[in-house]
Structures are given as C-alpha cells and as structure tokens.
CSV table of all heavy atoms in Angstrom, one decimal:
chain,number,residue,atom,x,y,z
A,81,SER,N,-16.3,1.8,-0.8
A,81,SER,CA,-15.1,1.2,-0.1
A,81,SER,C,-14.6,0.0,-0.9
A,81,SER,O,-13.4,-0.2,-1.0
A,81,SER,CB,-15.4,0.8,1.3
A,81,SER,OG,-16.5,-0.1,1.4
A,82,SER,N,-15.5,-0.8,-1.5
A,82,SER,CA,-15.0,-2.0,-2.2
A,82,SER,C,-14.2,-1.6,-3.5
A,82,SER,O,-13.2,-2.2,-3.8
A,82,SER,CB,-16.1,-3.0,-2.5
A,82,SER,OG,-17.1,-2.3,-3.3
A,83,GLN,N,-14.8,-0.6,-4.2
A,83,GLN,CA,-14.1,-0.2,-5.4
A,83,GLN,C,-12.8,0.5,-5.1
A,83,GLN,O,-11.8,0.3,-5.8
A,83,GLN,CB,-15.0,0.8,-6.2
A,83,GLN,CG,-14.4,1.2,-7.5
A,83,GLN,CD,-15.3,2.1,-8.3
A,83,GLN,OE1,-16.4,2.4,-7.9
A,83,GLN,NE2,-14.9,2.6,-9.5
A,84,PHE,N,-12.8,1.3,-4.0
A,84,PHE,CA,-11.6,1.9,-3.5
A,84,PHE,C,-10.5,0.9,-3.2
A,84,PHE,O,-9.3,1.0,-3.6
A,84,PHE,CB,-11.8,2.8,-2.3
A,84,PHE,CG,-10.6,3.5,-1.8
A,84,PHE,CD1,-10.2,4.8,-2.3
A,84,PHE,CD2,-9.8,3.0,-0.8
A,84,PHE,CE1,-9.1,5.4,-1.9
A,84,PHE,CE2,-8.7,3.6,-0.3
A,84,PHE,CZ,-8.3,4.9,-0.9
A,85,GLN,N,-10.9,-0.2,-2.5
A,85,GLN,CA,-10.0,-1.2,-2.1
A,85,GLN,C,-9.4,-1.9,-3.4
A,85,GLN,O,-8.2,-2.2,-3.4
A,85,GLN,CB,-10.6,-2.2,-1.2
A,85,GLN,CG,-9.8,-3.4,-0.8
A,85,GLN,CD,-8.6,-3.1,0.1
A,85,GLN,OE1,-8.5,-2.0,0.5
A,85,GLN,NE2,-7.8,-4.1,0.4
A,86,GLN,N,-10.2,-2.2,-4.3
A,86,GLN,CA,-9.8,-2.9,-5.5
A,86,GLN,C,-8.8,-2.0,-6.3
A,86,GLN,O,-7.8,-2.5,-6.8
A,86,GLN,CB,-11.0,-3.2,-6.4
A,86,GLN,CG,-10.7,-3.8,-7.7
A,86,GLN,CD,-9.9,-5.1,-7.6
A,86,GLN,OE1,-10.1,-5.9,-6.7
A,86,GLN,NE2,-9.1,-5.5,-8.6
A,87,ARG,N,-9.1,-0.7,-6.5
A,87,ARG,CA,-8.3,0.2,-7.2
A,87,ARG,C,-7.0,0.4,-6.5
A,87,ARG,O,-5.9,0.5,-7.1
A,87,ARG,CB,-9.0,1.5,-7.5
A,87,ARG,CG,-10.1,1.3,-8.6
A,87,ARG,CD,-10.7,2.6,-9.0
A,87,ARG,NE,-9.7,3.5,-9.6
A,87,ARG,CZ,-10.0,4.7,-10.1
A,87,ARG,NH1,-11.3,5.1,-10.0
A,87,ARG,NH2,-9.1,5.4,-10.6
A,88,ARG,N,-7.0,0.5,-5.2
A,88,ARG,CA,-5.8,0.7,-4.4
A,88,ARG,C,-4.9,-0.6,-4.5
A,88,ARG,O,-3.7,-0.4,-4.7
A,88,ARG,CB,-6.1,1.0,-2.9
A,88,ARG,CG,-4.9,1.3,-2.1
A,88,ARG,CD,-5.3,1.7,-0.7
A,88,ARG,NE,-6.0,0.6,0.1
A,88,ARG,CZ,-6.2,0.6,1.4
A,88,ARG,NH1,-5.9,1.7,2.1
A,88,ARG,NH2,-6.8,-0.3,2.0
A,89,GLN,N,-5.5,-1.7,-4.4
A,89,GLN,CA,-4.7,-3.0,-4.5
A,89,GLN,C,-4.0,-3.2,-5.8
A,89,GLN,O,-2.9,-3.8,-5.9
A,89,GLN,CB,-5.6,-4.2,-4.2
A,89,GLN,CG,-5.9,-4.3,-2.7
A,89,GLN,CD,-6.7,-5.6,-2.5
A,89,GLN,OE1,-7.3,-6.2,-3.4
A,89,GLN,NE2,-6.9,-6.0,-1.2
A,90,THR,N,-4.6,-2.6,-6.9
A,90,THR,CA,-4.0,-2.8,-8.2
A,90,THR,C,-3.3,-1.5,-8.7
A,90,THR,O,-3.0,-1.4,-9.9
A,90,THR,CB,-5.1,-3.2,-9.2
A,90,THR,OG1,-6.2,-2.2,-9.2
A,90,THR,CG2,-5.7,-4.6,-8.9
A,91,TYR,N,-3.2,-0.5,-7.8
A,91,TYR,CA,-2.5,0.7,-8.1
A,91,TYR,C,-3.1,1.5,-9.2
A,91,TYR,O,-2.5,2.2,-10.0
A,91,TYR,CB,-1.0,0.5,-8.4
A,91,TYR,CG,-0.4,-0.5,-7.4
A,91,TYR,CD1,0.2,-1.7,-7.9
A,91,TYR,CD2,-0.5,-0.3,-6.0
A,91,TYR,CE1,0.8,-2.6,-7.0
A,91,TYR,CE2,0.0,-1.2,-5.1
A,91,TYR,CZ,0.7,-2.4,-5.6
A,91,TYR,OH,1.2,-3.3,-4.7
A,92,ASP,N,-4.5,1.4,-9.3
A,92,ASP,CA,-5.2,2.1,-10.4
A,92,ASP,C,-5.7,3.4,-9.9
A,92,ASP,O,-6.9,3.6,-9.6
A,92,ASP,CB,-6.4,1.2,-10.8
A,92,ASP,CG,-7.2,1.8,-11.9
A,92,ASP,OD1,-6.7,2.7,-12.6
A,92,ASP,OD2,-8.4,1.4,-12.1
A,93,PHE,N,-4.8,4.3,-9.6
A,93,PHE,CA,-5.1,5.7,-9.1
A,93,PHE,C,-4.0,6.6,-9.4
A,93,PHE,O,-2.8,6.2,-9.7
A,93,PHE,CB,-5.4,5.6,-7.6
A,93,PHE,CG,-4.2,5.2,-6.8
A,93,PHE,CD1,-3.2,6.1,-6.4
A,93,PHE,CD2,-4.0,3.8,-6.5
A,93,PHE,CE1,-2.1,5.7,-5.7
A,93,PHE,CE2,-2.9,3.4,-5.8
A,93,PHE,CZ,-1.9,4.3,-5.4
A,94,ASP,N,-4.3,7.9,-9.4
A,94,ASP,CA,-3.2,8.9,-9.4
A,94,ASP,C,-2.8,9.3,-8.0
A,94,ASP,O,-1.6,9.4,-7.8
A,94,ASP,CB,-3.7,10.1,-10.2
A,94,ASP,CG,-4.0,9.9,-11.6
A,94,ASP,OD1,-3.4,9.0,-12.2
A,94,ASP,OD2,-4.9,10.6,-12.2
A,95,MET,N,-3.7,9.6,-7.2
A,95,MET,CA,-3.5,10.0,-5.8
A,95,MET,C,-4.6,9.4,-4.9
A,95,MET,O,-5.7,9.4,-5.3
A,95,MET,CB,-3.4,11.5,-5.7
A,95,MET,CG,-3.1,12.0,-4.3
A,95,MET,SD,-3.1,13.8,-4.2
A,95,MET,CE,-1.4,14.2,-4.9
A,96,ILE,N,-4.2,9.0,-3.7
A,96,ILE,CA,-5.1,8.5,-2.7
A,96,ILE,C,-4.7,9.0,-1.3
A,96,ILE,O,-3.6,9.5,-1.1
A,96,ILE,CB,-5.2,7.0,-2.7
A,96,ILE,CG1,-3.9,6.4,-2.4
A,96,ILE,CG2,-5.9,6.4,-3.9
A,96,ILE,CD1,-3.9,4.9,-2.1
A,97,PHE,N,-5.6,8.9,-0.4
A,97,PHE,CA,-5.3,9.0,1.0
A,97,PHE,C,-4.9,7.7,1.5
A,97,PHE,O,-5.5,6.6,1.1
A,97,PHE,CB,-6.4,9.6,1.8
A,97,PHE,CG,-6.8,11.0,1.6
A,97,PHE,CD1,-7.7,11.4,0.7
A,97,PHE,CD2,-6.1,12.0,2.4
A,97,PHE,CE1,-8.0,12.7,0.5
A,97,PHE,CE2,-6.4,13.3,2.2
A,97,PHE,CZ,-7.4,13.7,1.3
A,98,ASN,N,-3.9,7.6,2.4
A,98,ASN,CA,-3.6,6.3,3.0
A,98,ASN,C,-3.0,6.5,4.4
A,98,ASN,O,-2.4,7.6,4.7
A,98,ASN,CB,-2.6,5.5,2.2
A,98,ASN,CG,-2.6,4.0,2.6
A,98,ASN,OD1,-3.6,3.3,2.6
A,98,ASN,ND2,-1.4,3.6,3.1
A,99,PHE,N,-3.1,5.5,5.2
A,99,PHE,CA,-2.4,5.5,6.5
A,99,PHE,C,-1.6,4.2,6.7
A,99,PHE,O,-2.1,3.1,6.5
A,99,PHE,CB,-3.5,5.6,7.7
A,99,PHE,CG,-2.9,5.5,9.0
A,99,PHE,CD1,-2.1,6.5,9.6
A,99,PHE,CD2,-3.0,4.3,9.8
A,99,PHE,CE1,-1.5,6.4,10.8
A,99,PHE,CE2,-2.4,4.2,11.0
A,99,PHE,CZ,-1.7,5.3,11.6
A,100,TRP,N,-0.3,4.4,7.0
A,100,TRP,CA,0.5,3.3,7.4
A,100,TRP,C,0.8,3.4,8.9
A,100,TRP,O,1.3,4.4,9.4
A,100,TRP,CB,1.9,3.4,6.6
A,100,TRP,CG,1.9,3.2,5.2
A,100,TRP,CD1,2.0,2.0,4.5
A,100,TRP,CD2,1.8,4.1,4.1
A,100,TRP,NE1,2.0,2.1,3.2
A,100,TRP,CE2,1.8,3.5,2.9
A,100,TRP,CE3,1.6,5.5,4.1
A,100,TRP,CZ2,1.8,4.1,1.7
A,100,TRP,CZ3,1.6,6.2,2.9
A,100,TRP,CH2,1.6,5.5,1.7
A,101,SER,N,0.4,2.3,9.6
A,101,SER,CA,0.7,2.3,11.0
A,101,SER,C,2.2,2.0,11.2
A,101,SER,O,2.9,1.6,10.3
A,101,SER,CB,-0.1,1.2,11.7
A,101,SER,OG,0.2,-0.1,11.1
A,102,ALA,N,2.7,2.3,12.4
A,102,ALA,CA,4.1,2.1,12.7
A,102,ALA,C,4.2,1.6,14.2
A,102,ALA,O,3.4,1.9,15.0
A,102,ALA,CB,4.9,3.4,12.5
A,103,SER,N,5.2,0.9,14.4
A,103,SER,CA,5.5,0.4,15.8
A,103,SER,C,6.9,0.8,16.2
A,103,SER,O,7.7,1.4,15.4
A,103,SER,CB,5.4,-1.1,15.9
A,103,SER,OG,6.5,-1.8,15.3
A,104,LEU,N,7.3,0.5,17.4
A,104,LEU,CA,8.6,0.8,17.9
A,104,LEU,C,9.6,-0.2,17.4
A,104,LEU,O,10.8,-0.1,17.6
A,104,LEU,CB,8.7,0.8,19.4
A,104,LEU,CG,8.0,2.0,20.1
A,104,LEU,CD1,7.8,1.8,21.6
A,104,LEU,CD2,8.7,3.3,19.8
A,105,SER,N,9.1,-1.3,16.7
A,105,SER,CA,10.0,-2.3,16.2
A,105,SER,C,9.6,-2.7,14.8
A,105,SER,O,9.1,-3.8,14.5
A,105,SER,CB,10.1,-3.5,17.1
A,105,SER,OG,11.0,-4.4,16.6
A,106,PRO,N,9.6,-1.7,13.8
A,106,PRO,CA,9.3,-2.1,12.4
A,106,PRO,C,10.2,-3.2,11.9
A,106,PRO,O,11.3,-3.3,12.3
A,106,PRO,CB,9.5,-0.8,11.6
A,106,PRO,CG,10.4,0.0,12.5
A,106,PRO,CD,10.1,-0.4,13.9
A,107,GLY,N,9.6,-4.1,11.1
A,107,GLY,CA,10.3,-5.3,10.6
A,107,GLY,C,10.0,-5.6,9.2
A,107,GLY,O,10.0,-4.8,8.3
A,108,ASN,N,9.7,-6.9,9.0
A,108,ASN,CA,9.5,-7.4,7.6
A,108,ASN,C,8.5,-6.7,6.8
A,108,ASN,O,8.6,-6.6,5.6
A,108,ASN,CB,9.1,-8.9,7.7
A,108,ASN,CG,10.3,-9.8,7.9
A,108,ASN,OD1,11.0,-10.2,7.0
A,108,ASN,ND2,10.5,-10.2,9.2
A,109,GLU,N,7.5,-6.1,7.5
A,109,GLU,CA,6.4,-5.4,6.8
A,109,GLU,C,6.9,-4.2,6.0
A,109,GLU,O,6.3,-3.8,5.1
A,109,GLU,CB,5.3,-5.0,7.8
A,109,GLU,CG,5.5,-3.8,8.6
A,109,GLU,CD,6.5,-4.0,9.7
A,109,GLU,OE1,6.8,-5.2,10.0
A,109,GLU,OE2,7.0,-3.0,10.3
A,110,GLN,N,8.1,-3.7,6.4
A,110,GLN,CA,8.6,-2.5,5.7
A,110,GLN,C,8.9,-2.9,4.2
A,110,GLN,O,8.8,-2.0,3.4
A,110,GLN,CB,9.8,-2.0,6.4
A,110,GLN,CG,9.7,-1.7,7.8
A,110,GLN,CD,8.7,-0.5,8.0
A,110,GLN,OE1,9.0,0.6,7.6
A,110,GLN,NE2,7.6,-0.8,8.7
A,111,SER,N,9.2,-4.1,3.9
A,111,SER,CA,9.5,-4.5,2.5
A,111,SER,C,8.2,-4.4,1.7
A,111,SER,O,8.2,-4.1,0.5
A,111,SER,CB,10.0,-5.9,2.5
A,111,SER,OG,11.3,-6.0,3.1
A,112,PHE,N,7.0,-4.7,2.4
A,112,PHE,CA,5.8,-4.6,1.7
A,112,PHE,C,5.3,-3.2,1.6
A,112,PHE,O,4.4,-2.9,0.7
A,112,PHE,CB,4.7,-5.5,2.4
A,112,PHE,CG,5.0,-6.9,2.3
A,112,PHE,CD1,5.7,-7.6,3.2
A,112,PHE,CD2,4.5,-7.6,1.2
A,112,PHE,CE1,6.0,-8.9,3.1
A,112,PHE,CE2,4.7,-9.0,1.1
A,112,PHE,CZ,5.5,-9.6,2.0
A,113,TYR,N,5.8,-2.3,2.4
A,113,TYR,CA,5.4,-0.9,2.4
A,113,TYR,C,6.1,-0.2,1.3
A,113,TYR,O,5.6,0.7,0.6
A,113,TYR,CB,5.6,-0.2,3.7
A,113,TYR,CG,4.7,-0.7,4.9
A,113,TYR,CD1,3.7,-1.6,4.7
A,113,TYR,CD2,4.9,-0.1,6.1
A,113,TYR,CE1,2.9,-2.0,5.7
A,113,TYR,CE2,4.0,-0.5,7.2
A,113,TYR,CZ,3.1,-1.4,7.0
A,113,TYR,OH,2.3,-1.8,8.0
A,114,TRP,N,7.5,-0.4,1.2
A,114,TRP,CA,8.3,0.4,0.3
A,114,TRP,C,9.4,-0.3,-0.3
A,114,TRP,O,10.3,0.3,-0.9
A,114,TRP,CB,8.8,1.7,1.0
A,114,TRP,CG,8.6,1.8,2.4
A,114,TRP,CD1,9.4,1.3,3.4
A,114,TRP,CD2,7.5,2.4,3.1
A,114,TRP,NE1,8.9,1.6,4.7
A,114,TRP,CE2,7.7,2.3,4.5
A,114,TRP,CE3,6.4,3.1,2.6
A,114,TRP,CZ2,6.8,2.8,5.4
A,114,TRP,CZ3,5.5,3.6,3.6
A,114,TRP,CH2,5.7,3.4,5.0
A,115,GLY,N,9.5,-1.6,-0.2
A,115,GLY,CA,10.5,-2.4,-0.9
A,115,GLY,C,10.3,-2.4,-2.4
A,115,GLY,O,9.2,-2.5,-2.9
A,116,GLY,N,11.5,-2.4,-3.2
A,116,GLY,CA,11.4,-2.4,-4.6
A,116,GLY,C,10.7,-3.6,-5.2
A,116,GLY,O,10.0,-3.5,-6.2
A,117,ASP,N,10.8,-4.8,-4.6
A,117,ASP,CA,10.2,-6.0,-5.1
A,117,ASP,C,8.7,-5.9,-5.0
A,117,ASP,O,7.9,-6.6,-5.8
A,117,ASP,CB,10.7,-7.2,-4.4
A,117,ASP,CG,12.1,-7.6,-4.8
A,117,ASP,OD1,12.6,-7.1,-5.8
A,117,ASP,OD2,12.7,-8.3,-4.0
A,118,SER,N,8.2,-5.1,-4.1
A,118,SER,CA,6.7,-5.0,-4.0
A,118,SER,C,6.1,-3.9,-4.9
A,118,SER,O,4.8,-3.9,-4.9
A,118,SER,CB,6.4,-4.7,-2.5
A,118,SER,OG,6.9,-3.4,-2.1
A,119,ALA,N,6.9,-3.1,-5.5
A,119,ALA,CA,6.3,-2.0,-6.3
A,119,ALA,C,5.4,-2.5,-7.4
A,119,ALA,O,4.4,-1.8,-7.8
A,119,ALA,CB,7.4,-1.1,-6.8
A,120,ASP,N,5.7,-3.6,-8.0
A,120,ASP,CA,5.0,-4.0,-9.2
A,120,ASP,C,4.1,-5.3,-8.9
A,120,ASP,O,3.7,-6.0,-9.8
A,120,ASP,CB,5.9,-4.3,-10.4
A,120,ASP,CG,6.6,-3.1,-10.8
A,120,ASP,OD1,6.0,-2.0,-10.9
A,120,ASP,OD2,7.8,-3.1,-11.1
A,121,THR,N,3.9,-5.6,-7.6
A,121,THR,CA,3.2,-6.7,-7.2
A,121,THR,C,1.8,-6.3,-6.6
A,121,THR,O,1.8,-5.5,-5.6
A,121,THR,CB,3.9,-7.6,-6.2
A,121,THR,OG1,5.2,-8.0,-6.7
A,121,THR,CG2,3.1,-8.8,-5.8
A,122,ASP,N,0.7,-6.6,-7.3
A,122,ASP,CA,-0.6,-6.2,-6.7
A,122,ASP,C,-0.8,-6.7,-5.3
A,122,ASP,O,-0.3,-7.8,-4.9
A,122,ASP,CB,-1.7,-6.8,-7.6
A,122,ASP,CG,-1.8,-6.1,-9.0
A,122,ASP,OD1,-1.1,-5.1,-9.2
A,122,ASP,OD2,-2.6,-6.5,-9.8
A,123,GLY,N,-1.4,-5.9,-4.5
A,123,GLY,CA,-1.8,-6.3,-3.2
A,123,GLY,C,-0.8,-5.9,-2.1
A,123,GLY,O,-1.1,-6.2,-0.9
A,124,THR,N,0.3,-5.3,-2.4
A,124,THR,CA,1.2,-4.9,-1.4
A,124,THR,C,0.8,-3.5,-0.9
A,124,THR,O,-0.2,-2.9,-1.4
A,124,THR,CB,2.7,-4.8,-1.9
A,124,THR,OG1,2.8,-3.7,-2.7
A,124,THR,CG2,3.1,-6.1,-2.6
A,125,ARG,N,1.5,-2.9,0.1
A,125,ARG,CA,1.2,-1.6,0.5
A,125,ARG,C,2.2,-0.5,0.0
A,125,ARG,O,2.3,0.6,0.6
A,125,ARG,CB,1.1,-1.6,2.1
A,125,ARG,CG,0.1,-2.5,2.6
A,125,ARG,CD,-0.3,-2.3,4.0
A,125,ARG,NE,-1.1,-1.1,4.1
A,125,ARG,CZ,-1.3,-0.4,5.3
A,125,ARG,NH1,-0.7,-0.8,6.4
A,125,ARG,NH2,-2.1,0.6,5.3
A,126,ASN,N,2.9,-0.9,-1.0
A,126,ASN,CA,3.8,0.1,-1.7
A,126,ASN,C,3.0,0.8,-2.7
A,126,ASN,O,3.2,0.7,-3.9
A,126,ASN,CB,5.0,-0.7,-2.3
A,126,ASN,CG,6.1,0.3,-2.9
A,126,ASN,OD1,5.8,1.5,-2.9
A,126,ASN,ND2,7.2,-0.2,-3.2
A,127,TYR,N,2.1,1.6,-2.2
A,127,TYR,CA,1.1,2.3,-3.1
A,127,TYR,C,1.8,3.3,-3.9
A,127,TYR,O,1.3,3.6,-5.0
A,127,TYR,CB,0.0,2.9,-2.2
A,127,TYR,CG,-0.8,1.9,-1.4
A,127,TYR,CD1,-0.9,2.0,0.0
A,127,TYR,CD2,-1.3,0.8,-2.0
A,127,TYR,CE1,-1.6,1.1,0.7
A,127,TYR,CE2,-2.0,-0.2,-1.2
A,127,TYR,CZ,-2.1,0.0,0.1
A,127,TYR,OH,-2.8,-0.9,0.9
C-alpha cells in the first residue's frame, strides 16, 4: 500500500484502480480531481 500510494501520488503508473467519492454539492475539490492546473502537480487526485 505504501508503494502504491507513492506511485499514485507521483503519477508513476500506466493504469490503476481508483475511487473518487461524490456528494450532492461538489465544490472546490473538483479542481483537484480534474482541473488542468492539477494535472502536473504531484499529490492531487487528477490521476
């Protein structure tokens, strides 16, 4: 799990399983999930 977390955070993978939770009021976190500024920043969820 620790190696998986490290490789996921640095986008060092071809394909992974992932789960993004959702609420009835999505907000700022959406930029971290799929915003363009987060694509090249380690540690976001724009995997």
Side-chain angles (χ1 to χ4, degrees):
S81 59
S82 61
Q83 186 178 357
F84 181 87
Q85 175 69 5
Q86 176 62 28
R87 291 186 59 178
R88 184 174 64 169
Q89 286 183 345
T90 56
Y91 316 125
D92 181 19
F93 61 86
D94 296 330
M95 178 183 282
I96 58 171
F97 288 94
N98 193 65
F99 175 73
W100 289 273
S101 61
S103 75
L104 290 170
S105 186
N108 281 276
E109 78 286 347
Q110 301 298 294
S111 295
F112 289 92
Y113 290 1
W114 8 87
D117 288 342
S118 65
D120 297 322
T121 303
D122 287 355
T124 74
R125 301 196 75 197
N126 188 349
Y127 301 124

